[in-house]
């Protein structure tokens, strides 16, 4: 079992923002912006490559997209936020269960892209 599978299973507590059958959204333990939510599929996929190639990948991808918008709405940042996915070691991924960072509550001035 991985860390986020344990959080999804409730074995490790999390500060829940939103949940449905497919996803769990919770506050990052080490926020880098005033709003920093992690959107995590309840099914384990190592990363976005595995999410893309899995038979259920399209379903979970759609649910992740909807959950990102829902989490942003709940947090009051729908008008502007940034979503990041780190993929693999070179991408800076540290928890190998695919997840999307939803960052906001601030005006981003620096851009990577
Ligand atoms: P990554 O570096 O894989 O893109 O992002 C992993 C994120 O998970 C980091 O932002 C880190 O702060 C967060 N994180 C790691 N362990 C925990 C935990 O136990 N609970 C919560 N809520 N977030 C965690
Ligand atoms: Zn997992």
């Amino acid at each position: 079992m991985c860390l986020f599978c344990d959080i999804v299973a409730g074995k490790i507590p999390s500060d829940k923002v939103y949940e449905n059958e497919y996803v769990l959204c919770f506050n990052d333990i080490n926020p880098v912006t005033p709003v920093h939510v992690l959107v995590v599929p309840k099914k384990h996929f190592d990363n976005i490559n595995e999410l893309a190639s899995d038979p259920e990948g399209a379903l979970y991808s759609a649910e992740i997209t909807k959950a990102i918008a829902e989490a942003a709405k709940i947090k009051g940042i729908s008008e502007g936020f940034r979503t990041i996915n780190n993929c693999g070691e070179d991408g800076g991924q540290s928890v190998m269960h695919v997840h999307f960072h939803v960052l906001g509550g601030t005006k981003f001035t620096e851009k990577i892209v």
Side-chain angles (χ1 to χ4, degrees):
M1 275 274 225
C2 83
L3 173 65
F4 286 175
C5 280
D6 283 348
I7 287 177
V8 164
K11 293 178 187 170
I12 295 173
S14 66
D15 187 10
K16 185 169 75 180
V17 172
Y18 173 72
E19 178 178 24
N20 68 19
E21 186 182 346
Y22 301 100
V23 297
L24 177 65
C25 308
F26 52 92
N27 290 315
D28 196 291
I29 203 166
N30 185 25
V32 298
T33 45
V35 175
H36 185 170
V37 177
L38 299 175
V39 175
V40 176
K42 289 190 172 180
K43 179 175 174 177
H44 181 97
F45 305 95
D46 283 349
N47 55 39
I48 204 164
N49 295 323
E50 195 172 303
L51 178 66
S53 60
D54 190 276
E56 289 191 298
L59 170 63
Y60 276 90
S61 296
E63 291 296 333
I64 287 167
T65 302
K66 287 193 280 183
I68 289 169
E70 186 63 25
K73 189 175 174 185
I74 290 166
K75 288 291 193 174
I77 59 166
S78 293
E79 71 283 357
F81 57 91
R82 183 169 289 178
T83 304
I84 293 176
N85 168 256
N86 296 321
C87 181
E89 202 180 325
D90 283 1
Q93 184 178 1
S94 61
V95 178
M96 299 302 171
H97 179 135
V98 72
H99 54 278
F100 292 78
H101 300 256
V102 181
L103 306 172
T106 186
K107 187 167 175 64
F108 291 99
T109 50
E110 287 184 32
K111 297 185 77 169
I112 296 174
V113 287

